[in-house]
Amino acid sequence: ENTKIPKHALMQAFIEASENFSEVALLQSKLDGPRYSDGELVGIGGAKRVYASKDNVTGRTLVRAYPKPTDFEDDFLREALLHAQLEHPNIIPFYDLGVENETPYFCMKQIQGESLEAYVSTMELAGNAGKHRNELLDIFTKVCDAVSYAHAMGVLHLDIKPSNIQISGYGEVLV
């Protein structure tokens, strides 16, 4: 028995299905819900707590920072607004700033890798830090480029240290 579906019937079914499916409707349904879903605590800084997070609209993973106790809210917002003005290959990209449940937050790129502090410690434990002198100088140059750019933009970091410099799995150096 021949159960072959005619080509024109398949084309008509495809056209009808695509007319009923709307990317706009899918996006709208995502926009109606909470924008971000926070996961585990990643770290605590001078004025902020940082969580792994997911952007429920785009599906992108990122980190979301919140101020520590209310005493630090002004410092947190000042940091967020300054960071938002900086676009440089060696500065962690800033994504968003907002308020949720009366608490301000900002979002940044999630870095997969380790701090410069851990990176150097691993080299030292392996006894081969000297062999990687050129690599370490390259990292230092990238940090200097980022700091120089920030200074040119009128921004001072105030807490440059190896634990605040990230080395990604792809070799990115980010302050």
Side-chain angles (χ1 to χ4, degrees):
E1 167 179 359
N2 187 357
T3 58
K4 203 172 189 183
I5 300 173
K7 187 176 181 179
H8 72 281
L10 286 174
M11 287 299 292
Q12 185 60 36
F14 176 77
I15 289 168
E16 288 174 15
S18 64
E19 287 173 350
N20 293 326
F21 179 76
S22 169
E23 288 292 331
V24 172
L26 179 61
L27 177 61
Q28 187 62 48
S29 71
K30 289 180 178 181
L31 290 172
D32 290 339
R35 177 69 193 255
Y36 301 103
S37 299
D38 290 334
E40 67 183 55
L41 179 68
V42 174
I44 298 175
K48 64 185 176 290
R49 296 170 289 121
V50 181
Y51 293 85
S53 190
K54 179 181 178 188
D55 182 331
N56 295 318
V57 174
T58 65
R60 174 169 47 185
T61 57
L62 46 85
V63 294
R64 188 156 68 144
Y66 299 92
K68 280 169 57 174
T70 55
D71 304 358
F72 293 104
E73 199 167 281
D74 286 346
D75 292 341
F76 174 85
L77 291 173
R78 189 175 303 106
E79 176 184 338
L81 292 170
L82 289 172
H83 187 174
Q85 302 304 310
L86 302 176
E87 290 189 42
H88 186 275
N90 300 114
I91 295 176
I92 295 176
F94 186 94
Y95 291 154
D96 191 19
L97 173 63
V99 176
E100 185 177 277
N101 300 322
E102 299 183 23
T103 303
Y105 67 84
F106 67 87
C107 300
M108 303 173 289
K109 178 180 181 176
Q110 182 180 39
I111 307 304
Q112 300 296 329
E114 60 187 337
S115 70
L116 178 60
E117 180 177 50
Y119 189 75
V120 170
S121 291
T122 301
M123 282 182 187
E124 288 173 347
L125 286 174
N128 60 5
K131 295 177 186 175
H132 295 279
R133 199 167 276 132
N134 287 341
E135 184 180 352
L136 292 171
L137 285 171
D138 185 48
I139 291 169
F140 181 70
T141 300
K142 290 176 180 178
V143 171
C144 290
D145 287 345
V147 171
S148 176
Y149 167 78
H151 288 179
M153 299 296 290
V155 176
L156 300 177
H157 189 289
L158 301 180
D159 197 20
I160 299 275
K161 58 187 177 188
S163 61
N164 285 339
I165 298 165
Q166 298 295 307
I167 312 297
S168 80
Y170 300 108
E172 290 175 292
V173 177
L174 296 160
V175 177

